[in-house]
Amino acid sequence: METVQQQMKDLVKKLNEAAKAYYQEDREIMSNREYDELYDRLEKMEKETGIVLADSPTVNVGYEAVDSLPKETHETPMLSLDKTKDREVLREFIGSHKTLLSWKMDGLTIVLTYDHGELEKAVTRGNGVVGEVVTNNARVFRNVPLKIPFQGRLILRGEAIIRYSDFERINQSIGDVDARYKNPRNLCSGSVRQLNNQVTAERNVYFYAFSLVSAQDVDMHNSREFQMEWMKDQGFDVVEYKIVTAGNLDEVMDAFAAAIETNDFPSDGLVALYDDIAYGDSLGSTAKFPRNSFAFKWADEIRETTLREIEWSPSRTGLINPIAVFDPVELEGTTVSRASVHNVSILRELELGIGDTIQVYKANMIIPQIAENLTRSNNLKIPEICPVCGQEARVIRENDVESLYCMNPDCVAKKIKAFTLFVSRDAMNIDGLSEATLEKFIARGFIHDFGDIFEIGKYREEIVDMEGFGEKSFENLMKSLEKAKETTLAKVIYSLGIANIGLANAKVICRHFDDDLEKIRCADEEEISGIDGIGPVIAKSLADYFKNEENNRKLNHLLGHLHLHREEITGRQIFAGVNFVITGSLEHFANRGEAKKLIESLGGKVTGTVTGKTNYLINNDKASNSSKNKKARELGIPVISEQDFLELVQKES
């Protein structure tokens, strides 16, 4: 059965690649006859096995949006697992019992229900008692079978995950570094809880079954291993597992540990589950944990190394970030030699000095960090000049955090970073101009201001001869520039890199001035700060920018290449003049950027700080004593959950 299933998966992949090439890329990788033959073969296999995969070309799932995710109580409560980081504790738990040891995948737990061979329902774990119904989204998971041969009622549990490769791909498509996802788990959680399952489909979510809850009238031979193999026969991908006892535990765990280096999926440990179903069930559970299973969590891998240097990396705003450079060490399967220290305050708190013995680790097994400085020599001197332009650098304290800034407005590093922002997705959205390419163009004197980018065609001969470029890359860049010329005033204002002005602020300002650039140019601080949601800091930044004659000259040069369109406003502006602050983890949205996008599309504004102008603070932990919650309570501002917010949207719409 497994061989047939693999053949079906291969056919699905091959047919989908052919369809994408034909319909989306205008190229043909197989003849119509070959496609039809493979399609017929797949259809025949589906009839013979009773299995139909979610991404099979023989079914059309369709995309659908919902207003909210309904809640549902699980038939069987889902308890957490007791856990340890000590291998000997795990060995003692296993003893002489035949035990399944499997990956503890780091994603979102989902309960699937099938009836009469078809997927009936998918519900998230939620709080273990009540979860959210995400059936619509589960139908577009990459590998969930929509139909299975078993016709009785089936309930099983598994983990929805996003692979590292897809995580990197999605993050690389996001120009704004701050808007990128922190880890695959957060991305997966938001993707599974989407209100529009087209987004879920684009994210490539995979599902791996790890536990069978019930299968009507099926004899499972009192074996968890039998259950796992039975689920495989039904068309499910199951979590990889090995059979262990205390005797072979070390060998198997070592193999799992070695596999982490090449795994394309996130995991944060292992799960041990007794094979004997009756024995495991007879043990019952504590108030919090079942007694038939145990989790092993990988301890943070910490390595000692020697600090060799602090690099200072300038940004477009003039902020110069300290980066620790140390002797290379192996961490979580990769070689690491650098870690951001973030700011001068952290640098001083760690009392860093060249030659110090430091401990480093990977936060969330991804981001290198300094855990501790064992030597604390504190012999570092904070630079007084910018490492790029050689002009004055100064430590500035803001909100109790000290950071180093370059004071030279014409610093080349600022230019490169400014151009990087200008071409990013949320700004002018110009493909083909990476930071490295921009650096080369600036060094060769091709571009001096933003308008020069749209005149880059006059350097065609030099560019096609540059390393990494060629005729095709140049032509693609020209097409991207033509497309970028059609834009909105708000995106232009944001792309200029004016301090403190993000895309949301730019939209609010442009909306207030009716997309009239001359009105914006002539507005003073008082008028700008009078805009609801725009404070004096933003007002000063904008007014000061347009007081500068050179800034206006450069903007006029840029505008000579652009065709500005009014911002399209879809739907009722039910949140016009309403200010939101979002804090804490999100469940219904993949990240804050998506929630922010919805609010802005409805006329509202999202800011980062709770002030007297804030109308709502969105926080799923409404009882939290966080600084933002405290501030909201002091000012009498309602603290609402995501669900409250979505109900507000529905009510007002």
Side-chain angles (χ1 to χ4, degrees):
M1 177 69 83
E2 189 171 0
T3 304
V4 174
Q5 286 183 34
Q6 189 55 54
Q7 290 174 4
M8 291 171 64
K9 289 176 182 177
D10 292 342
L11 282 173
V12 167
K13 182 180 179 183
K14 191 177 292 187
L15 288 166
N16 285 342
E17 285 175 351
K20 181 182 178 183
Y22 186 83
Y23 291 109
Q24 297 180 25
E25 300 167 4
D26 198 24
R27 61 190 181 93
E28 197 170 294
I29 61 176
M30 67 172 64
S31 67
N32 287 341
R33 179 177 178 179
E34 183 182 359
Y35 183 92
D36 290 342
E37 286 177 354
L38 295 179
Y39 187 98
D40 291 343
R41 189 190 308 170
L42 174 63
E43 204 168 35
K44 182 181 178 184
M45 286 180 168
E46 288 176 344
K47 287 178 181 176
E48 290 173 349
T49 63
I51 298 170
V52 178
L53 299 173
D55 56 348
S56 170
T58 66
V59 294
N60 182 11
V61 176
Y63 298 131
E64 184 181 340
V66 296
D67 295 326
S68 62
L69 298 175
K71 299 282 201 307
E72 181 168 303
T73 302
H74 295 297
E75 291 187 20
T76 307
M78 301 179 66
L79 300 177
S80 300
L81 297 182
D82 199 359
K83 52 186 171 289
T84 182
K85 292 184 178 181
D86 187 335
R87 188 178 288 199
E88 294 311 311
V89 172
L90 186 65
R91 192 192 312 278
E92 185 179 341
F93 167 79
I94 294 172
S96 60
H97 300 289
K98 178 182 176 183
T99 302
L100 277 66
L101 192 65
S102 63
W103 292 112
K104 187 176 185 296
M105 289 188 158
D106 194 16
L108 191 70
T109 300
I110 305 289
V111 183
L112 299 182
T113 301
Y114 287 76
D115 208 356
H116 297 100
E118 297 192 4
L119 176 62
E120 178 186 89
K121 185 169 55 183
V123 184
T124 66
R125 180 185 186 279
N127 62 9
V129 177
V130 178
E132 292 168 312
V133 179
V134 291
T135 313
N136 203 31
N137 296 338
R139 292 184 187 281
V140 295
F141 288 177
R142 297 292 295 175
N143 62 336
V144 163
L146 300 180
K147 294 183 179 180
I148 60 175
F150 179 62
Q151 295 297 299
R153 187 167 181 79
L154 167 67
I155 302 175
L156 57 88
R157 295 170 182 167
E159 197 81 355
I161 59 114
I162 285 181
R163 297 175 176 179
Y164 283 124
S165 52
D166 287 315
F167 171 72
E168 295 295 339
R169 171 184 58 81
I170 292 166
N171 260 353
Q172 287 305 313
S173 71
I174 301 173
D176 184 355
V177 174
D178 292 335
R180 292 178 178 174
Y181 299 95
K182 301 302 180 189
N183 53 59
R185 187 190 184 285
N186 287 358
L187 175 57
C188 181
S189 179
S191 301
V192 171
R193 292 186 171 99
Q194 284 293 318
L195 298 180
N196 186 334
N197 70 342
Q198 183 171 1
V199 178
T200 309
E202 291 167 354
R203 299 278 175 77
N204 281 0
V205 179
Y206 286 82
F207 176 86
Y208 291 89
F210 61 67
S211 172
L212 191 148
V213 178
S214 63
Q216 185 180 356
D217 299 327
V218 178
D219 180 6
M220 292 297 169
H221 302 278
N222 194 36
S223 169
R224 297 289 181 187
E225 182 182 14
F226 185 90
Q227 287 182 338
M228 296 288 268
E229 296 305 313
W230 185 84
M231 286 191 289
K232 282 185 186 179
D233 290 343
Q234 299 304 311
F236 296 98
D237 287 331
V238 303
V239 174
E240 180 189 356
Y241 70 90
K242 304 287 184 185
I243 301 299
V244 298
T245 62
N248 70 338
L249 179 63
D250 288 326
E251 177 188 343
V252 175
M253 288 189 74
D254 288 346
F256 272 115
I260 290 176
E261 296 182 20
T262 54
N263 281 349
D264 193 26
F265 58 83
S267 65
D268 57 355
L270 302 171
V271 174
L273 174 67
Y274 291 142
D275 178 65
D276 189 319
I277 297 173
Y279 172 72
D281 289 348
S282 72
L283 298 175
S285 61
T286 67
K288 294 175 63 178
F289 310 120
R291 291 193 173 98
N292 67 344
S293 51
F294 214 92
F296 177 85
K297 300 276 284 187
W298 303 114
D300 287 328
E301 192 175 3
I302 295 177
R303 293 282 184 269
E304 280 190 17
T305 184
T306 302
L307 181 66
R308 296 299 179 188
E309 182 185 355
I310 292 291
E311 283 186 3
W312 295 90
S313 175
S315 69
R316 70 175 179 84
T317 62
L319 175 66
I320 306 176
N321 297 297
I323 297 171
V325 181
F326 42 82
D327 290 342
V329 290
E330 288 290 318
L331 274 179
E332 313 292 356
T334 61
T335 302
V336 176
S337 60
R338 301 162 63 85
S340 174
V341 189
H342 303 295
N343 55 56
V344 172
S345 290
I346 294 175
L347 189 99
R348 287 176 170 163
E349 184 181 318
L350 287 167
E351 297 180 316
L352 289 173
I354 304 304
D356 280 352
T357 300
I358 59 175
Q359 292 181 329
V360 293
Y361 73 105
K362 276 189 178 180
N364 295 319
M365 300 180 75
I366 298 173
I367 305 165
Q369 302 276 288
I370 296 178
E372 182 58 86
N373 179 10
L374 302 179
T375 314
R376 293 187 172 268
S377 68
N378 200 22
N379 66 13
L380 275 179
K381 189 176 186 307
I382 309 299
E384 295 180 355
I385 61 170
C386 172
V388 175
C389 70
Q391 299 297 310
E392 180 192 6
R394 189 187 306 164
V395 174
I396 296 175
R397 189 180 187 87
E398 292 179 346
N399 299 321
D400 294 327
V401 174
E402 289 184 314
S403 301
L404 185 66
Y405 286 88
C406 172
M407 307 311 292
N408 175 17
D410 297 317
C411 179
V412 175
K414 289 184 182 180
K415 283 188 176 182
I416 294 170
K417 299 297 183 181
F419 281 117
T420 302
L421 170 70
F422 181 81
V423 303
S424 66
R425 187 183 66 171
D426 287 340
M428 299 304 292
N429 194 19
I430 302 173
D431 288 331
L433 285 178
S434 66
E435 187 169 317
T437 300
L438 287 166
E439 192 171 355
K440 291 176 184 176
F441 285 179
I442 292 170
R444 291 178 179 234
F446 295 168
I447 54 178
H448 302 278
D449 61 40
F450 297 137
D452 291 335
I453 289 178
F454 292 92
E455 300 169 7
I456 205 75
K458 61 188 178 185
Y459 300 105
R460 180 183 176 280
E461 289 186 12
E462 292 105 312
I463 291 173
V464 296
D465 288 336
M466 284 172 58
E467 186 179 350
F469 255 84
E471 292 285 352
K472 185 68 174 176
S473 297
F474 181 81
E475 291 303 322
N476 288 340
L477 176 57
M478 291 300 100
K479 289 177 184 177
S480 184
L481 287 170
E482 280 302 311
K483 186 178 178 182
K485 289 179 180 179
E486 309 294 328
T487 188
T488 64
L489 181 59
K491 288 195 171 186
V492 172
I493 297 290
Y494 168 61
S495 72
L496 298 176
I498 303 170
N500 305 305
I501 296 182
L503 182 57
N505 293 325
K507 287 180 178 179
V508 171
I509 292 165
C510 290
R511 202 177 295 148
H512 175 83
F513 288 104
D514 200 29
D515 276 344
D516 189 326
L517 177 58
E518 291 313 307
K519 286 182 181 178
I520 296 173
R521 276 175 156 164
C522 297
D524 58 24
E525 287 182 42
E526 185 178 357
E527 184 178 4
I528 299 168
S529 62
I531 302 172
D532 198 13
I534 303 296
V537 175
I538 294 173
K540 187 176 188 311
S541 293
L542 188 68
D544 286 351
Y545 184 88
F546 286 115
K547 285 177 187 173
N548 185 297
E549 189 176 330
E550 182 64 9
N551 287 341
N552 282 290
R553 184 197 68 76
K554 291 177 179 177
L555 177 56
N556 288 337
H557 181 206
L558 169 64
L559 291 171
H561 296 283
L562 305 180
H563 308 123
L564 299 183
H565 305 279
R566 278 183 168 275
E567 187 83 34
E568 285 187 24
I569 299 176
T570 56
R572 290 177 54 210
Q573 300 295 281
I574 61 174
F575 291 141
V578 180
N579 297 313
F580 292 84
V581 173
I582 307 170
T583 189
S585 61
L586 299 181
E587 298 176 353
H588 295 280
F589 299 93
N591 56 23
R592 292 179 194 174
E594 291 192 355
K596 183 178 177 183
K597 188 175 180 181
L598 173 60
I599 290 169
E600 288 175 355
S601 73
L602 298 172
K605 185 172 186 300
V606 178
T607 63
T609 309
V610 177
T611 68
K613 292 185 177 181
T614 304
N615 298 99
Y616 295 100
L617 171 64
I618 300 176
N619 187 353
N620 284 324
D621 188 358
K622 294 195 283 187
S624 163
N625 281 319
S626 68
S627 58
K628 287 181 180 175
N629 275 36
K630 287 178 181 177
K631 188 69 174 176
R633 285 195 286 268
E634 286 173 14
L635 298 173
I637 294 164
V639 181
I640 62 174
S641 67
E642 275 180 277
Q643 190 61 42
D644 297 331
F645 166 69
L646 292 170
E647 288 172 3
L648 188 64
V649 172
Q650 199 168 9
K651 177 183 175 184
E652 296 292 337
S653 298

mmCIF file of all heavy atoms in Angstrom, residues 527-552:
data_model
loop_
_atom_site.group_PDB
_atom_site.id
_atom_site.type_symbol
_atom_site.label_atom_id
_atom_site.label_comp_id
_atom_site.label_asym_id
_atom_site.label_seq_id
_atom_site.Cartn_x
_atom_site.Cartn_y
_atom_site.Cartn_z
ATOM 1 N N GLU A 527 -0.418 71.730 11.943
ATOM 2 C CA GLU A 527 -1.483 71.161 11.117
ATOM 3 C C GLU A 527 -1.339 69.640 11.020
ATOM 4 O O GLU A 527 -2.320 68.908 11.121
ATOM 5 C CB GLU A 527 -1.456 71.777 9.716
ATOM 6 C CG GLU A 527 -2.610 71.295 8.834
ATOM 7 C CD GLU A 527 -2.601 71.939 7.461
ATOM 8 O OE1 GLU A 527 -1.657 72.700 7.156
ATOM 9 O OE2 GLU A 527 -3.538 71.661 6.688
ATOM 10 N N ILE A 528 -0.102 69.176 10.842
ATOM 11 C CA ILE A 528 0.118 67.735 10.693
ATOM 12 C C ILE A 528 -0.186 66.996 11.994
ATOM 13 O O ILE A 528 -0.831 65.943 11.996
ATOM 14 C CB ILE A 528 1.566 67.444 10.239
ATOM 15 C CG1 ILE A 528 1.837 68.099 8.880
ATOM 16 C CG2 ILE A 528 1.819 65.937 10.153
ATOM 17 C CD1 ILE A 528 3.301 68.119 8.483
ATOM 18 N N SER A 529 0.266 67.545 13.119
ATOM 19 C CA SER A 529 0.028 66.871 14.407
ATOM 20 C C SER A 529 -1.439 66.893 14.794
ATOM 21 O O SER A 529 -1.867 66.159 15.682
ATOM 22 C CB SER A 529 0.873 67.512 15.518
ATOM 23 O OG SER A 529 0.519 68.863 15.694
ATOM 24 N N GLY A 530 -2.230 67.733 14.116
ATOM 25 C CA GLY A 530 -3.670 67.764 14.366
ATOM 26 C C GLY A 530 -4.407 66.604 13.724
ATOM 27 O O GLY A 530 -5.590 66.367 14.011
ATOM 28 N N ILE A 531 -3.713 65.857 12.839
ATOM 29 C CA ILE A 531 -4.330 64.686 12.208
ATOM 30 C C ILE A 531 -4.490 63.604 13.262
ATOM 31 O O ILE A 531 -3.549 63.296 13.997
ATOM 32 C CB ILE A 531 -3.463 64.164 11.040
ATOM 33 C CG1 ILE A 531 -3.250 65.257 9.993
ATOM 34 C CG2 ILE A 531 -4.106 62.932 10.401
ATOM 35 C CD1 ILE A 531 -2.250 64.865 8.910
ATOM 36 N N ASP A 532 -5.663 63.049 13.333
ATOM 37 C CA ASP A 532 -5.939 62.022 14.338
ATOM 38 C C ASP A 532 -4.978 60.856 14.175
ATOM 39 O O ASP A 532 -4.891 60.248 13.114
ATOM 40 C CB ASP A 532 -7.390 61.538 14.188
ATOM 41 C CG ASP A 532 -7.872 60.819 15.436
ATOM 42 O OD1 ASP A 532 -7.189 60.910 16.466
ATOM 43 O OD2 ASP A 532 -8.932 60.167 15.369
ATOM 44 N N GLY A 533 -4.221 60.552 15.245
ATOM 45 C CA GLY A 533 -3.285 59.441 15.207
ATOM 46 C C GLY A 533 -1.869 59.835 14.832
ATOM 47 O O GLY A 533 -0.959 59.011 14.869
ATOM 48 N N ILE A 534 -1.649 61.079 14.444
ATOM 49 C CA ILE A 534 -0.311 61.571 14.100
ATOM 50 C C ILE A 534 0.167 62.499 15.205
ATOM 51 O O ILE A 534 -0.444 63.537 15.466
ATOM 52 C CB ILE A 534 -0.304 62.321 12.746
ATOM 53 C CG1 ILE A 534 -0.831 61.421 11.634
ATOM 54 C CG2 ILE A 534 1.095 62.843 12.435
ATOM 55 C CD1 ILE A 534 0.023 60.203 11.350
ATOM 56 N N GLY A 535 1.254 62.147 15.853
ATOM 57 C CA GLY A 535 1.762 62.930 16.973
ATOM 58 C C GLY A 535 2.789 63.964 16.557
ATOM 59 O O GLY A 535 3.161 64.073 15.382
ATOM 60 N N PRO A 536 3.309 64.722 17.512
ATOM 61 C CA PRO A 536 4.265 65.794 17.225
ATOM 62 C C PRO A 536 5.596 65.307 16.664
ATOM 63 O O PRO A 536 6.232 66.016 15.889
ATOM 64 C CB PRO A 536 4.452 66.468 18.592
ATOM 65 C CG PRO A 536 3.988 65.473 19.605
ATOM 66 C CD PRO A 536 2.925 64.686 18.937
ATOM 67 N N VAL A 537 6.035 64.101 17.048
ATOM 68 C CA VAL A 537 7.315 63.587 16.547
ATOM 69 C C VAL A 537 7.235 63.338 15.047
ATOM 70 O O VAL A 537 8.114 63.742 14.274
ATOM 71 C CB VAL A 537 7.707 62.283 17.285
ATOM 72 C CG1 VAL A 537 8.970 61.683 16.677
ATOM 73 C CG2 VAL A 537 7.921 62.565 18.764
ATOM 74 N N ILE A 538 6.162 62.673 14.619
ATOM 75 C CA ILE A 538 5.961 62.410 13.189
ATOM 76 C C ILE A 538 5.764 63.722 12.442
ATOM 77 O O ILE A 538 6.317 63.924 11.353
ATOM 78 C CB ILE A 538 4.749 61.480 12.975
ATOM 79 C CG1 ILE A 538 5.048 60.092 13.558
ATOM 80 C CG2 ILE A 538 4.383 61.368 11.504
ATOM 81 C CD1 ILE A 538 3.866 59.142 13.547
ATOM 82 N N ALA A 539 4.990 64.624 13.032
ATOM 83 C CA ALA A 539 4.718 65.922 12.397
ATOM 84 C C ALA A 539 6.015 66.681 12.148
ATOM 85 O O ALA A 539 6.222 67.260 11.072
ATOM 86 C CB ALA A 539 3.774 66.737 13.269
ATOM 87 N N LYS A 540 6.902 66.695 13.124
ATOM 88 C CA LYS A 540 8.178 67.407 12.980
ATOM 89 C C LYS A 540 9.031 66.765 11.890
ATOM 90 O O LYS A 540 9.645 67.467 11.067
ATOM 91 C CB LYS A 540 8.935 67.418 14.302
ATOM 92 C CG LYS A 540 10.206 68.278 14.295
ATOM 93 C CD LYS A 540 10.861 68.313 15.661
ATOM 94 C CE LYS A 540 11.999 69.319 15.713
ATOM 95 N NZ LYS A 540 12.952 69.212 14.607
ATOM 96 N N SER A 541 9.091 65.419 11.868
ATOM 97 C CA SER A 541 9.885 64.717 10.852
ATOM 98 C C SER A 541 9.415 65.075 9.450
ATOM 99 O O SER A 541 10.226 65.355 8.561
ATOM 100 C CB SER A 541 9.782 63.198 11.048
ATOM 101 O OG SER A 541 10.398 62.790 12.232
ATOM 102 N N LEU A 542 8.099 65.062 9.242
ATOM 103 C CA LEU A 542 7.540 65.346 7.917
ATOM 104 C C LEU A 542 7.766 66.800 7.526
ATOM 105 O O LEU A 542 8.219 67.093 6.407
ATOM 106 C CB LEU A 542 6.045 65.015 7.900
ATOM 107 C CG LEU A 542 5.374 65.072 6.522
ATOM 108 C CD1 LEU A 542 5.907 63.946 5.635
ATOM 109 C CD2 LEU A 542 3.859 64.953 6.648
ATOM 110 N N ALA A 543 7.469 67.711 8.435
ATOM 111 C CA ALA A 543 7.618 69.139 8.132
ATOM 112 C C ALA A 543 9.080 69.482 7.856
ATOM 113 O O ALA A 543 9.391 70.206 6.903
ATOM 114 C CB ALA A 543 7.076 69.976 9.284
ATOM 115 N N ASP A 544 9.991 68.955 8.680
ATOM 116 C CA ASP A 544 11.423 69.230 8.486
ATOM 117 C C ASP A 544 11.917 68.696 7.150
ATOM 118 O O ASP A 544 12.756 69.324 6.489
ATOM 119 C CB ASP A 544 12.245 68.604 9.622
ATOM 120 C CG ASP A 544 12.116 69.363 10.934
ATOM 121 O OD1 ASP A 544 11.528 70.481 10.912
ATOM 122 O OD2 ASP A 544 12.578 68.842 11.969
ATOM 123 N N TYR A 545 11.396 67.529 6.749
ATOM 124 C CA TYR A 545 11.833 66.937 5.480
ATOM 125 C C TYR A 545 11.514 67.874 4.315
ATOM 126 O O TYR A 545 12.359 68.109 3.448
ATOM 127 C CB TYR A 545 11.149 65.584 5.267
ATOM 128 C CG TYR A 545 11.625 64.860 4.022
ATOM 129 C CD1 TYR A 545 12.726 64.022 4.065
ATOM 130 C CD2 TYR A 545 10.976 65.037 2.799
ATOM 131 C CE1 TYR A 545 13.183 63.366 2.924
ATOM 132 C CE2 TYR A 545 11.418 64.392 1.654
ATOM 133 C CZ TYR A 545 12.526 63.559 1.719
ATOM 134 O OH TYR A 545 12.973 62.934 0.576
ATOM 135 N N PHE A 546 10.310 68.413 4.305
ATOM 136 C CA PHE A 546 9.902 69.243 3.174
ATOM 137 C C PHE A 546 10.400 70.685 3.274
ATOM 138 O O PHE A 546 10.272 71.453 2.325
ATOM 139 C CB PHE A 546 8.384 69.196 3.000
ATOM 140 C CG PHE A 546 7.904 67.894 2.423
ATOM 141 C CD1 PHE A 546 7.099 67.041 3.160
ATOM 142 C CD2 PHE A 546 8.285 67.497 1.150
ATOM 143 C CE1 PHE A 546 6.674 65.829 2.632
ATOM 144 C CE2 PHE A 546 7.865 66.285 0.617
ATOM 145 C CZ PHE A 546 7.061 65.453 1.356
ATOM 146 N N LYS A 547 10.994 71.052 4.405
ATOM 147 C CA LYS A 547 11.638 72.369 4.508
ATOM 148 C C LYS A 547 12.991 72.366 3.802
ATOM 149 O O LYS A 547 13.535 73.428 3.496
ATOM 150 C CB LYS A 547 11.843 72.735 5.987
ATOM 151 C CG LYS A 547 10.580 73.160 6.716
ATOM 152 C CD LYS A 547 10.885 73.418 8.182
ATOM 153 C CE LYS A 547 9.611 73.686 8.982
ATOM 154 N NZ LYS A 547 9.888 73.782 10.440
ATOM 155 N N ASN A 548 13.519 71.166 3.548
ATOM 156 C CA ASN A 548 14.833 71.026 2.930
ATOM 157 C C ASN A 548 14.713 71.115 1.402
ATOM 158 O O ASN A 548 14.047 70.295 0.771
ATOM 159 C CB ASN A 548 15.443 69.681 3.343
ATOM 160 C CG ASN A 548 16.858 69.505 2.847
ATOM 161 O OD1 ASN A 548 17.104 69.472 1.650
ATOM 162 N ND2 ASN A 548 17.795 69.371 3.780
ATOM 163 N N GLU A 549 15.374 72.104 0.843
ATOM 164 C CA GLU A 549 15.270 72.352 -0.600
ATOM 165 C C GLU A 549 15.797 71.181 -1.422
ATOM 166 O O GLU A 549 15.229 70.822 -2.456
ATOM 167 C CB GLU A 549 16.063 73.625 -0.944
ATOM 168 C CG GLU A 549 15.856 74.101 -2.374
ATOM 169 C CD GLU A 549 16.579 75.413 -2.650
ATOM 170 O OE1 GLU A 549 16.738 76.219 -1.715
ATOM 171 O OE2 GLU A 549 16.979 75.611 -3.806
ATOM 172 N N GLU A 550 16.885 70.563 -0.948
ATOM 173 C CA GLU A 550 17.469 69.439 -1.677
ATOM 174 C C GLU A 550 16.519 68.240 -1.688
ATOM 175 O O GLU A 550 16.398 67.538 -2.705
ATOM 176 C CB GLU A 550 18.812 69.051 -1.047
ATOM 177 C CG GLU A 550 19.544 67.921 -1.744
ATOM 178 C CD GLU A 550 19.979 68.243 -3.168
ATOM 179 O OE1 GLU A 550 19.867 69.416 -3.592
ATOM 180 O OE2 GLU A 550 20.419 67.310 -3.877
ATOM 181 N N ASN A 551 15.839 67.990 -0.572
ATOM 182 C CA ASN A 551 14.855 66.900 -0.530
ATOM 183 C C ASN A 551 13.758 67.107 -1.558
ATOM 184 O O ASN A 551 13.332 66.166 -2.234
ATOM 185 C CB ASN A 551 14.238 66.798 0.866
ATOM 186 C CG ASN A 551 15.189 66.227 1.895
ATOM 187 O OD1 ASN A 551 16.176 65.587 1.545
ATOM 188 N ND2 ASN A 551 14.907 66.465 3.164
ATOM 189 N N ASN A 552 13.294 68.334 -1.687
ATOM 190 C CA ASN A 552 12.227 68.639 -2.652
ATOM 191 C C ASN A 552 12.725 68.480 -4.085
ATOM 192 O O ASN A 552 11.993 68.010 -4.956
ATOM 193 C CB ASN A 552 11.699 70.054 -2.422
ATOM 194 C CG ASN A 552 10.760 70.131 -1.232
ATOM 195 O OD1 ASN A 552 9.641 69.629 -1.268
ATOM 196 N ND2 ASN A 552 11.220 70.743 -0.147
#
